């Protein structure tokens, strides 16, 4: 029955040497070592039958003939599927022969499908209460003759059985649903993998497929991850090409700003997410509680993000895949500024109280200007709009080949991305990734392999003006008609468009090589040792060029100066070549990590033991130099040597300090760590699970007294759902309780604070006119520094109903962070300054929900919903006696301190009613802020400040995605949002309308008047800096939002079409739109162009709306 | 299976072998303190650094005492909000506001000097004389800091040894600090030479010690119980300077003017200076004093000259005339032309309204400095962020600098 065209079956050679084993084991072996998948009914095939088989390089047919020649089991091979059936019962799977039945009155034809609508071969259809039964063929079809009113029981391994009352139907289609409890899905954990059923820790995982990485035009994995995992906290910061969002895991938990970094592990080793091609990724996992992160010890306290890349595919000829994604990026709304007419009226009100100026001689604009504004003469330049006026192209190409023989597997992947930016002036980002994975069995107990990646990233940036630097006057054009840039309004400030287009740039080239080699030894059953070495080398080269440009200043009272190059009211300022400046920076570093793992599993009856022991050492080094020159005569900085003089360059240690000699360098990064870790698990029947894990970490950052830290954790899980009293309830297929407790650490921020350094200043002091170097003591050291620790308690509940139709996972945690690093205040008279010390404690807590609903309505139509919701909070529990209004025990890490305001003074009577001295916060006036005198002393001063917002972080976070598929078409949408976000306009950029005297944002004109008593702002007082204190409750506004992150429509061409094309194995087309924008927000200023995700006041680089067409072809 | 055992053994040995000193790492680009402060060269460099603690050429440094008198004002003192950018006479801490009173409270410098003096004892030196001289130089710098401190604050803790971070020293009565100071100066007076050779020019001399002693005596008038002894002490110290014959007055008005420009560096009138050289060690007094409307220098990277301090009319009205009289007593004085017939040092010290200055946009153009509101350019308008009186500081303004914040004149 072997079909002639079945090349895999013909080409695959199998070697077996099994004596007196159960048939089931042979099938297992075949399924492990080959791509073949067996389909059978356990009633039809006796898996317990003992067989012996010894074959070398045999075809599958030879194997099957040997196994089944003398018994009543038949087989059929199609592609990689092998169907087993009982010969006596069925001659062929489609025909039913049952001579016992008396009442064969009805022939039922049908199809059995899986959840995704694919046919299920080998499913069993039995007439209830009889032995009458058939199996489906390869197309999932069956035909059975049954008696009247029969009930069909349809079953398939791994799927929940269904009973169908036939009635008068003659043609039925049944879709089986995967039985979640029976599925043994695997998740990635620290240094290994675990079955979902046996996980005791708080872990969330998402696959590249679930994220839609292949279809979406995301340029980096971080962007794709926003909102996708409960516990991963972070939003986009801005849309500059090459910019990635920053994450924390489970929100803020420490006062130490150095320490918020999540540990990123890529294929077992610490790495950089920016270097990973998103298309190489298989899964992303976050480890959240102590049980999950304890094996990362001193680096685990901030949570761990694990990235696992796609694997090689053995016994597979080759799968070649090409993916193209071409996108068009456009800009959404952007901050609006005032028109000439609006600005004139606004400033007139600010200065004279009258929108027309009222003839006041101090009115800021002359009648000429007012008339010109009314006449529409001015260009009405919207500078933010002019800077980001572009649309931009983005494309990616990805090619991969996966395959392998019986003993060797390989994966080759190449990806290229190019993203242009929206800013006028030409910024862009390019990335190239190459990855090669090979693994091979040298003997039956030794496997070696490599995982090698080369990444090249090039980021070209032009100067980006934000906030008031970007605000320009509506009176002036960006360029004159004769093409010269125009001063944007205020003298001495750059024209942001000229700046972007001037030829100034920062070009950053990052090259990374990551070479991994490993050897895995299996000396005896259930035991393996693996030695893995990773070598990572990074090089970065940065060229920063500041160019100059010519510009003119126009006279807004003289229209002639706008067009006449010789106008006396036109001032021309030529760029000074001497100010052209080129700074080159080059850094390189390497890191070698050696990782040894020993793994042992033991099963005694229902008792299962597992042990993992590991050892890891890390060492590395980094260095870099920087040099610069200025005085370039050309617009193009061809070479540093064309600069005529030196230019001061920033130091590596502190970029705000400049080296006057024009060059500097650093060397460091040679800290070493040496760690032992382990994990031991035990379970009884997979029902009661206990796990202990630990890490013993040594770091050269500490002195002998605190060199090693020990980080243990313990966790328990109980699969309640498998207890008999619940397993009888059909609806429940999983109910699991989890508890964990343990300690993780953090050593970042320590750097070299344990050592007292002496600093050398080569420009010390001159004697006899000659500079002599100086030596002085550096910042004071502390010998006693130790690791910050996080003691985390976590409780979790996993719930699955109706065979996975509804799944819910919830977590609750409390994290006590201790020994938080800061500086102990010393008396000024001590003289050497504050000493670093482990001082504070913070408690943080929160909960997470992850909910999934999947359903199939019919063979063709199914839909799903996945949603996650998380909430976090924190409280400072110890401040080592340091207490201030800004920072106190009981407050949260990020609170807001300021004055409470009670709206505005609406009339004089209101002012007279409560005589409170507001002179310290900007005075008292009608239409001015009314401050609350908290201590009733009649004066508003610093003592009246209160905590305005207990916790200003985004702590209630939402992410969800929905989707549906109909036949070959699928449509999905992803959303994320924050439900307790607020914005505080206390920064000048947000609330000062005349910060640089050129223009204001439209929302800043929403000031108090009799008709507008609930305005944002008080009546402006003059067209300069407003005098009131801005740390006020009146400037806190809602900013919750929900964004539509992505919509993807995909069409998968079916086999028929592909067969006609001949050479393709798969083909799909996608239309995907990324960053579609805000679908709901309560921010009061989103209408005037402010993205609630990016905040008010600073006009950040907008997030591009990316519309892409994708093509994915498999060969 | 034999192979496996070998592999296991290798892995195991590599684990053990790497443990011993793997976690001992030296810093690659910094010196640890115990590796320096040991030799004569180290100590010479360490001493060089102490010289940077000499009175500062900065508005926050030695200019501040002018504002304690009725001679001068600063536009930003006690100003609130964003304009209050320089300093405030505050006693209560407020976020973001620095209070200038701290600027003379220099225990960070004292700690470094005490550390130096303790390290000096055990350091290797080729000659004991050099060790003594270096100690004396350091002690002088410590003394001048204490002299400024008791002038500014009265009682201050007298700390001459290294403290631990837990010590909470009490204030020492002003007179005890004063007596200690005079004792120090007496001791080091003869450990220091009258002059140095060219390579060491600019170090502390005996003359500097005597001059500080004289100043200390004079500054103590007003609080010291025995005023007469102060005059005697000051006179003796000054007499010793004169008798040593090292110094003389610079010649003429031009000589005086040059004292505050780089052309006056190393002048015969200079007893002690905080030294500056182009590019490598510069001071920004010129930018601090110069008028907003005036030239900033061809390489200026800052937006504006600052012109924040201003003399009061008390000082202007009392500056003596060329006849050695107060203007009010001198019949030759014409209030309509207040700059005429004054002591020539007046013109070297004050920028007056009506003076001609190189223009902000082009130094070859001169404009008339006019601080009156509504007259002239509003850059210099006293009602705008500029000096509050219109009588500006002139010393150290040098329009020939590449940028006015990169002055290289020694500060005297």
């Amino acid at each position: 029955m072997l079909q002639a065209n079945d090349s895999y079956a013909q080409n695959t050679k199998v070697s077996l040497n099994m004596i007196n084993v159960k048939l089931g084991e042979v099938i297992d072996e075949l399924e492990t070592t080959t791509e073949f998948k067996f389909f059978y009914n356990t009633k039809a095939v006796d898996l317990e039958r003992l067989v012996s088989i010894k074959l070398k390089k045999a075809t599958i047919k030879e194997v099957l003939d040997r196994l089944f020649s003398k018994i009543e089991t038949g087989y059929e091979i199609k592609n990689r599927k092998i169907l087993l059936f009982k010969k006596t019962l069925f001659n062929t799977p489609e025909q039913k022969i049952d001579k016992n039945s008396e009442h064969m009155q009805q022939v039922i034809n049908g199809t059995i499908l899986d959840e995704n609508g694919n046919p299920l071969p080998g499913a069993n259809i039995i007439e209830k209460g009889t032995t009458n039964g058939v199996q489906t063929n390869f197309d999932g079809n069956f035909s059975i003759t049954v008696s009247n009113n029969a009930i069909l029981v349809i079953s398939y391994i791994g799927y929940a059985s269904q009973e169908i009352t036939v009635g008068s139907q003659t043609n039925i289609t049944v879709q089986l649903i995967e039985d979640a409890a029976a599925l043994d899905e695997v998740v990635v954990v620290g240094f290994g993998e675990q079955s979902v059923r046996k996980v005791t820790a708080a872990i969330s995982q998402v696959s590249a497929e679930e994220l839609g990485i292949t279809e979406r035009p995301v340029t980096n994995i971080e962007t794709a991850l926003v909102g996708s995992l409960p516990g991963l906290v972070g939003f986009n910061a801005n849309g500059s090409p090459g910019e990635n969002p920053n994450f924390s895991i489970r929100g803020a938990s420490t006062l130490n700003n150095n320490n918020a970094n999540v540990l990123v592990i890529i294929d077992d080793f610490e790495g950089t997410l920016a270097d990973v091609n998103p298309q190489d990724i298989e899964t992303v996992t976050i480890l959240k509680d102590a049980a999950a992160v304890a094996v990362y010890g001193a680096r685990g306290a901030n949570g761990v993000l694990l990235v696992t890349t796609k694997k090689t595919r053995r016994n597979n000829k080759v799968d070649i895949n090409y993916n193209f994604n071409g996108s068009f990026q456009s800009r959404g709304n952007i901050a609006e500024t005032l028109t000439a007419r609006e600005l004139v009226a606004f400033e007139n009100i600010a200065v004279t109280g009258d929108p027309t100026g009222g003839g006041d001689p101090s009115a800021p604009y002359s009648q000429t200007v007012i008339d010109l504004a009314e006449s529409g003469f001015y260009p009405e330049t919207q500078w933010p709009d002019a800077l980001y006026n572009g649309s931009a192209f983005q494309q990616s190409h990805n090619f991969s080949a996966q395959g392998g023989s019986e003993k060797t597997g390989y994966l080759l992947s190449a990806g290229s991305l190019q993203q242009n930016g929206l800013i006028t002036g030409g910024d862009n980002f390019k990335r190239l990734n190459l990855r090669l994975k090979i693994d091979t069995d040298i003997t039956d107990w030794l496997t070696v392999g490599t995982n090698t990646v080369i990444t090249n990233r090039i980021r070209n940036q032009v100067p980006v003006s934000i906030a008031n630097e970007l605000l320009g006057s509506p009176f002036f054009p960006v360029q004159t008609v004769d093409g010269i840039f125009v001063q944007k309004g205020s003298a001495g400030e750059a024209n942001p468009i000229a700046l972007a287009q001037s030829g100034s740039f920062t070009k950053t080239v990052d090259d990374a090589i990551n070479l991994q080699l490993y050897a895995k030894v299996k000396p005896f059953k259930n035991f393996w040792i693996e030695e893995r070495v990773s070598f990572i080398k990074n090089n970065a080269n940065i060229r920063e060029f500041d160019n100059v440009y010519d510009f003119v200043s126009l006279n807004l009272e003289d229209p002639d100066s706008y067009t006449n190059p010789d106008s006396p009211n036109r001032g021309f300022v030529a760029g000074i070549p001497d100010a052209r400046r080129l700074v080159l920076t080059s850094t390189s570093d390497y890191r070698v990590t050696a990782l040894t793992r020993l793994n042992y599993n033991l099963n005694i009856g229902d008792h299962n033991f597992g042990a993992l022991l590991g050892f890891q050492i890390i060492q590395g080094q980094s260095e870099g130099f920087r040099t610069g020159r200025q005085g370039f005569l050309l617009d193009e900085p061809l070479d540093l040597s064309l600069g005529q003089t030196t230019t001061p360059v920033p130091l590596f240690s502190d970029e705000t300090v400049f080296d006057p000699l024009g060059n500097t360098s650093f060397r460091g990064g040679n800290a070493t760590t040496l760690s032992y870790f382990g994990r031991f698990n035990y379970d009884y029947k997979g029902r009661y699970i206990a796990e202990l894990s630990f890490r013993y970490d040594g770091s050269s950052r500490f002195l002998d007294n605190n060199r090693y830290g020990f980080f243990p954790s313990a966790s328990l899980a109980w699969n309640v759902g498998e207890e008999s009293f619940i397993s009888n309830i059909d609806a429940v297929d999983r109910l699991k309780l989890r508890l964990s407790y343990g300690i993780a650490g953090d050593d970042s921020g320590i750097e070299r604070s344990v050592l007292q350094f002496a600093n050398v200043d080569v420009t010390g002091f001159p004697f006899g006119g000659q500079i002599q170097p100086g030596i002085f003591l550096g910042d004071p050291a502390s010998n006693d520094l130790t690791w910050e620790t996080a003691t985390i308690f976590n409780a979790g509940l996993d719930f699955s109903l109706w065979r996975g139709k509804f799944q819910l996972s919830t977590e609750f945690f409390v994290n006590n962070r201790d020994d938080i690093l800061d500086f102990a205040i010393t008396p000024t008279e001590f003289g050497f300054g504050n000493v670093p010390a482990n001082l504070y404690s913070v408690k943080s807590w929160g909960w997470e929900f992850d909910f999934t609903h999947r359903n199939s309505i019919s063979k063709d139509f199914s839909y799903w919903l996945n949603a996650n919701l998380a909430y976090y909070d924190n409280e400072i529990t110890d401040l080592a006696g340091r207490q201030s209004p800004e920072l106190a025990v009981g407050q949260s890490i990020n609170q807001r301190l300021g004055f409470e305001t009670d709206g505005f003074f609406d009339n004089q009577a209101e002012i007279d009613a409560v005589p409170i001295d507001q002179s310290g916060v900007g005075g008292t006036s009608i239409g001015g802020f009314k401050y609350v005198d908290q201590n009733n002393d009649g004066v508003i001063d610093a003592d009246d400040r209160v905590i305005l917002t207990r916790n200003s972080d985004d702590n209630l976070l939402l992410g969800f995605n929905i989707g549906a598929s109909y036949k070959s078409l699928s449509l999905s949408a992803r959303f994320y949002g924050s439900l307790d976000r607020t914005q505080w306009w206390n920064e000048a950029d947000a609330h000062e309308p005349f910060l640089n005297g050129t223009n204001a944002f439209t929302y800043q004109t929403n000031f108090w008047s009799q008709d507008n008593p609930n305005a944002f702002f008080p009546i402006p007082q003059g067209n300069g800096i407003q005098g009131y204190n801005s740390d006020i409750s009146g400037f806190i506004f809602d900013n919750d939002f929900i964004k539509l992150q992505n919509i993807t429509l995909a069409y998968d061409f079916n086999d028929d079409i592909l067969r006609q094309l001949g050479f393709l194995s798969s083909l799909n087309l996608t239309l995907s739109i990324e960053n579609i924008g805000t679908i709901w927000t309560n921010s009061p200023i989103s209408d005037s162009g402010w993205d609630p995700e990016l905040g008010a006041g600073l006009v950040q680089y907008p997030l591009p709306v990316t519309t892409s067409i994708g093509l994915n072809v498999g060969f | 299976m034999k192979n496996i055992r070998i592999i296991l053994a290798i892995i195991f040995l590599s684990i053990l072998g790497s443990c011993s000193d793997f976690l001992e790492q030296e810093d690659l680009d910094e010196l640890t303190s115990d590796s320096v402060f040991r030799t004569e060269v180290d100590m010479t460099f360490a001493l060089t650094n102490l010289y940077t603690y000499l009175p500062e050429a900065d508005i926050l440094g030695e200019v501040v005492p002018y504002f304690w008198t009725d001679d001068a004002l600063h536009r930003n003192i006690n100003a609130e909000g964003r304009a209050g950018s320089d300093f405030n006479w505050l006693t209560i801490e407020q976020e973001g506001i620095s209070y200038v009173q701290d600027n003379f409270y220099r225990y960070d410098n004292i700690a470094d000097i005490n550390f130096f003096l303790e390290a000096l004892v055990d350091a290797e030196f080729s000659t004991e004389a050099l060790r003594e001289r270096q100690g004396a130089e350091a002690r002088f710098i410590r003394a001048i800091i204490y002299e400024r401190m008791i002038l500014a604050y009265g009682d201050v803790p007298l700390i001459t040894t290294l403290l631990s971070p837990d010590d909470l020293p009490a204030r020492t009565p002003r007179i005890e600090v004063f007596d200690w100071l005079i004792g120090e100066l007496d001791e080091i007076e003869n450990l220091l030479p009258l002059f140095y050779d060219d390579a060491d020019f600019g170090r502390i001399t005996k003359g500097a010690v005597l001059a500080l002693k004289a100043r200390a005596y004079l500054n103590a008038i007003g609080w010291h119980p025995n005023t007469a002894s102060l005059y005697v002490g000051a006179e003796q110290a000054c007499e010793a300077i004169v008798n040593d014959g090292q110094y003389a007055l610079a010649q003429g008005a031009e000589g005086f003017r040059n004292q505050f420009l780089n052309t006056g560096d190393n002048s015969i009138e200079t007893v002690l200076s905080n030294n500056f050289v182009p590019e490598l060690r510069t001071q920004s007094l010129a930018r601090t004093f110069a008028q907003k409307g005036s030239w900033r220098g061809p390489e200026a990277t800052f937006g504006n000259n600052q012109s924040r301090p201003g003399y009061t009319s008390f000082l202007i009205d009392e500056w003596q005339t060329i006849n050695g009289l107060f203007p009010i007593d001198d019949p030759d004085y014409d209030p309509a032309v207040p700059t005429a017939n004054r002591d020539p040092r007046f013109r070297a010290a004050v920028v007056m309204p009506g003076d001609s200055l190189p223009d902000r946009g082009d130094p070859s153009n001169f404009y008339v400095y006019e601080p009156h509101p509504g007259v002239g350019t509003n850059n210099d308008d006293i009602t705008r962020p500029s000096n509050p009186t219109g009588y500006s500081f002139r010393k150290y303004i040098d329009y020939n600098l590449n940028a006015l914040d990169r002055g290289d004149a020694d500060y005297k």
Side-chain angles (χ1 to χ4, degrees), chain B residues 12 74 112 114-115 117 141 144 203 249-250 274 309 318 352 357 375:
Chain B
F12 213 73
H74 185 281
D112 279 346
N114 290 337
F115 176 82
L117 289 170
I141 295 165
I144 200 169
R203 289 185 181 276
L249 289 180
N274 190 341
E318 290 179 9
M352 292 290 281
L357 302 173
V375 186

Side-chain angles (χ1 to χ4, degrees), chain A residues 242-449:
Chain A
E243 190 75 27
N244 305 344
N246 248 327
F247 294 114
S248 75
I249 287 178
R250 290 187 157 175
S253 64
T254 175
L255 286 161
N256 182 347
N257 292 330
N258 299 315
N259 285 21
N261 294 329
V262 172
L263 176 65
V264 173
I265 302 284
I266 300 165
D267 287 340
D268 286 325
F269 295 97
E270 189 175 355
T272 310
L273 285 177
D275 284 334
V276 182
N277 180 0
Q279 306 249 3
D280 282 352
I281 292 174
E282 188 162 271
T283 57
V284 176
T285 314
I286 56 172
L287 310 180
K288 300 188 279 193
D289 69 344
V293 302
V295 286
Y296 293 102
R299 302 293 311 282
N302 302 314
V304 182
L305 191 149
L306 302 175
V307 172
T308 308
T309 57
K310 289 174 182 160
K311 297 185 172 59
T312 64
R313 205 172 281 169
R314 287 200 184 185
N315 287 305
N316 180 19
K317 212 169 174 189
V318 62
D319 283 345
I320 294 173
N321 196 277
Y322 168 73
N323 181 284
F324 166 76
N325 199 306
S327 318
F328 175 80
Q329 304 170 78
S330 56
R331 196 201 73 203
N333 293 336
I334 196 153
E336 292 165 6
T337 59
L338 303 186
T339 62
R341 215 179 296 180
E342 288 166 341
L343 181 61
V344 166
F346 185 49
E347 271 193 75
N348 273 333
I349 287 173
V351 177
T352 68
D354 185 325
T356 64
D360 191 320
S362 64
Y365 293 104
S366 67
Q367 193 56 44
T368 319
V369 175
I370 296 170
D371 292 344
L372 285 170
E374 290 296 328
S375 76
F377 165 74
Y378 293 120
E380 305 290 6
T381 309
Q382 291 270 327
W383 294 79
D385 177 75
L387 182 62
Y388 297 105
N389 66 357
S391 54
F393 189 63
Q394 173 186 320
Q395 61 176 330
S396 72
H397 301 267
N398 282 281
F399 168 86
S400 70
Q402 273 168 295
S405 67
E406 182 195 340
K407 298 200 163 184
T408 301
Y410 62 86
L411 174 147
L412 214 150
S413 121
S416 129
L417 167 79
Q418 178 176 2
Q419 182 190 9
N420 292 336
L422 291 175
I423 207 164
T424 171
D427 54 340
N428 60 50
F429 175 67
K430 293 173 194 165
R431 189 182 58 221
L432 273 176
N433 295 81
L434 295 172
R435 182 182 294 270
L436 174 67
K437 280 187 179 184
I438 299 176
D439 48 69
T440 185
D441 296 344
I442 289 177
T443 68
D444 55 359
W445 52 267
L446 175 63
T447 306
V448 298

Side-chain angles (χ1 to χ4, degrees), chain A residues 445-446 521-524 527 529 531 576 578 596 598 615 617-619 621-622 630 660-661 665-674 676 698-702 704 707-708 752 755-761 763-777 825-832 835 886 897 920 942 945 986-988 991-992 995 1025-1026 1030, chain B residues 1 3-4 7-8 11 14-16 18-37 41-54 80 82 94-95 105 107-112 115 137 157 159 162-169 197-204 266 273-281 298-299 410:
Chain A
W445 52 267
L446 175 63
V521 180
K522 293 179 193 162
F524 47 87
F527 178 67
I529 307 171
E531 179 70 25
I576 305 165
D578 198 50
T596 311
L598 293 81
F615 169 72
I617 53 173
I618 304 175
Q619 69 170 28
Q621 194 169 309
S622 56
Q630 64 184 47
L661 297 177
S665 71
F666 83 98
R667 217 153 68 93
N670 59 328
T672 49
T673 61
L674 181 155
Y676 305 86
S699 165
S700 67
R701 290 188 178 87
F702 300 95
D704 283 337
R707 181 149 282 165
Y708 287 92
R752 313 243 60 196
L755 290 179
Q756 177 66 60
F757 292 114
N759 295 341
V760 180
D761 177 8
T763 59
F765 192 83
F767 295 114
Q770 295 297 315
I771 280 284
Q772 307 287 320
I775 293 185
F776 55 101
L777 285 178
I825 307 274
T826 60
T828 310
E829 295 79 11
F830 167 62
F832 293 113
V835 180
E886 290 82 8
L897 177 77
R945 292 178 300 165
N986 64 326
E987 293 295 334
H991 70 260
E992 288 289 353
L995 201 54
I1025 299 296
Q1026 305 295 305
S1030 59
Chain B
M1 286 297 153
N3 309 348
I4 292 156
I7 292 166
L8 272 178
I11 292 169
S14 68
I15 292 170
L16 294 176
S18 56
C19 292
S20 55
D21 58 356
F22 183 69
L23 295 182
E24 298 288 345
Q25 293 291 322
E26 305 241 310
D27 199 275
L28 296 176
D29 60 3
E30 289 193 85
L31 298 167
T32 49
S33 64
D34 50 12
S35 67
V36 286
F37 305 110
V41 173
D42 296 346
M43 296 311 287
T44 304
F45 291 165
L47 179 63
T48 302
N49 187 65
L50 301 185
Y51 270 82
T52 63
Y53 303 157
L54 284 173
E80 295 249 355
R82 279 176 207 98
Q94 277 190 27
E95 204 182 340
Y105 207 70
Y107 284 96
D108 50 346
N109 299 160
I110 298 286
D112 279 346
F115 176 82
E137 288 174 69
I159 296 161
L162 286 178
L163 298 185
S164 90
D166 307 323
D167 289 336
L168 288 170
D197 59 24
D198 284 350
D200 279 325
F201 192 87
R203 289 185 181 276
I204 311 296
N266 311 338
S273 61
N274 190 341
N275 299 333
F276 294 90
V277 288
E279 305 293 338
L280 299 177
R281 183 169 155 81
E299 293 176 11
D410 292 349

Side-chain angles (χ1 to χ4, degrees), chain B residues 313-343 346 352:
Chain B
S313 56
F314 295 118
L315 182 94
I316 302 303
D317 292 346
E318 290 179 9
W319 203 295
Q320 291 175 340
T321 64
I322 201 157
N323 301 321
L325 299 169
F326 288 120
I328 198 164
D329 301 327
D330 189 338
D332 289 347
Y333 176 75
D334 177 3
V337 193
T339 53
N341 292 327
R342 289 292 185 98
D343 179 327
F346 182 78
M352 292 290 281

